[in-house]
Amino acid sequence: MILAEVVRSGFVECVHHGSVVVLDAAGAVVASAGDVTGPVFPRSSNKPLQTVGMLRSGLSVADPADLALISGSHFGEPFHVDRVRSILRAAGLGEENLLCPVDFPLSATERDAVVRAGGGAERIYMNCSGKHAGMLATCVANGWPLDDYRDAKHPLQVALAETVTELVGEPIAATGVDGCGAPVFAFSLTALARGFLRLAAAPDGYERQVADAVRAAPELVAGTGQDDTQLMHGVPGLLAKGGAEGVVAVAIPDVGAVAIKVADGAMRARMPVLVSALRRLGVDAPVLDELATVSMLGGGVRVGEVRAVW
């Protein structure tokens, strides 16, 4: 189904198809479009669910904010990199233990700063290095091997798969290799929204610990001025985590949850569609007006927008 359109100079030049599901506070589907029961890879939207699994497996952090970074896809700002190093150091490990790929920071500003300083791509700059640091710390807590912690058959990954399955209330349909090299689990958008609602509305326990950490430190989940960060600052109680290839999931206690997959993987269509979905739940906040459209530029000025049609 067409979820969003791209308008340039008053002319619709392309559209984005996809699927979206909206749940009420009780977890019932109140609106949907496209296929919301077939499996998708949520990509990094899996991360908060995986962090719950790490805590259940014995992960201990010195600062609750560490859980936000472990659940996030950071942009490589100095406070992100310093905290990854801190998590590793507390586990008696170093950057050499990370098995995520080498990369530059997602932040263009920080990437330029690294290059100007004569630096290059490093594992710690990779946006998933926080998750990998958490995985390594969990392995240390259990005495599990460190050299193959990304393997789907490793005790860590088996435990995380069990937790994710339980949280989303649906069997994992497929296990793939994510961009960072760790396993990524496939299940439906409805299950993804259900899992996020469970975390956001949890009265206590590990689910509540993760949700509270993410909501309290949204800059650690993404970065300064990023969509997830803006949403969590702008809507009280909202839990958000985007994923690659056009995925985003959010939940608000006593309100409901939304999960979206843009079929062609376009990230620019996510926020306009999400705003439309949240408004169906009665959510109203200035930040939604800011994110309802994405500007299209021509000659350096706004000449159009990406907007939801669902």
Side-chain angles (χ1 to χ4, degrees):
M1 178 173 179
I2 296 176
L3 298 182
E5 62 184 11
V6 181
V7 181
R8 180 180 296 276
S9 304
F11 180 83
V12 177
E13 69 172 336
C14 68
V15 297
H16 294 295
H17 294 77
S19 302
V20 54
V21 65
V22 183
L23 308 183
D24 65 15
V29 176
V30 294
S32 67
D35 182 3
V36 301
T37 60
V40 300
F41 279 136
R43 302 297 296 274
S44 287
S45 292
N46 270 327
K47 288 178 179 176
L49 307 175
Q50 292 171 306
T51 302
V52 173
M54 294 181 214
L55 288 172
R56 289 183 179 182
S57 298
L59 172 66
S60 177
V61 294
D63 183 344
D66 291 344
L67 297 176
L69 186 71
I70 292 168
S71 302
S73 301
H74 69 74
F75 269 59
E77 295 174 78
F79 61 90
H80 295 134
V81 176
D82 289 345
R83 190 171 288 270
V84 176
R85 290 189 175 119
S86 176
I87 294 169
L88 291 169
R89 187 164 54 248
L93 303 175
E95 297 174 40
E96 67 277 6
N97 295 109
L98 293 169
L99 295 181
C100 51
V102 298
D103 205 350
F104 285 96
L106 286 179
S107 165
T109 299
E110 300 305 329
R111 181 176 63 246
D112 291 348
V114 168
V115 174
R116 283 198 302 270
E122 298 183 23
R123 296 184 191 277
I124 201 161
Y125 294 143
M126 201 267 168
N127 75 91
C128 297
S129 66
K131 178 183 74 174
H132 281 249
M135 288 180 172
L136 283 165
T138 306
C139 289
V140 169
N142 287 278
W144 290 334
L146 304 181
D147 59 352
D148 62 346
Y149 71 87
R150 300 183 307 175
D151 192 296
K153 295 181 181 179
H154 189 284
L156 169 71
Q157 301 303 339
V158 171
L160 298 191
E162 291 174 351
T163 292
V164 170
T165 298
E166 190 259 315
L167 290 175
V168 304
E170 184 177 293
I172 292 172
T175 299
V177 179
D178 212 334
C180 66
V184 58
F185 309 123
F187 40 83
S188 71
L189 284 178
T190 301
L192 177 61
R194 187 187 302 124
F196 266 66
L197 187 59
R198 178 164 176 179
L199 266 63
D204 51 32
Y206 295 134
E207 294 93 334
R208 181 61 180 267
Q209 286 184 40
V210 172
D212 281 353
V214 168
R215 292 182 291 214
E219 283 86 2
L220 292 175
V221 178
T224 305
Q226 301 304 317
D227 292 341
D228 289 350
T229 306
Q230 289 183 269
L231 279 167
M232 286 188 277
H233 275 308
V235 181
L238 184 143
L239 174 71
K241 183 66 191 79
E245 300 298 339
V247 177
V248 65
V250 308
I252 309 172
D254 302 318
V255 176
V258 178
I260 295 167
K261 165 66 178 176
V262 181
D264 64 0
M267 305 296 273
R268 65 184 181 181
R270 299 179 310 158
M271 288 301 112
V273 177
L274 178 59
V275 169
S276 176
L278 287 172
R279 285 175 170 160
R280 290 167 185 256
L281 288 172
V283 180
D284 186 24
V287 69
L288 299 187
D289 295 331
E290 298 172 16
L291 297 174
T293 61
V294 176
S295 294
M296 298 300 296
L297 303 181
V301 299
R302 180 184 171 107
V303 297
E305 62 187 15
V306 183
R307 63 192 183 196
V309 296
W310 176 77

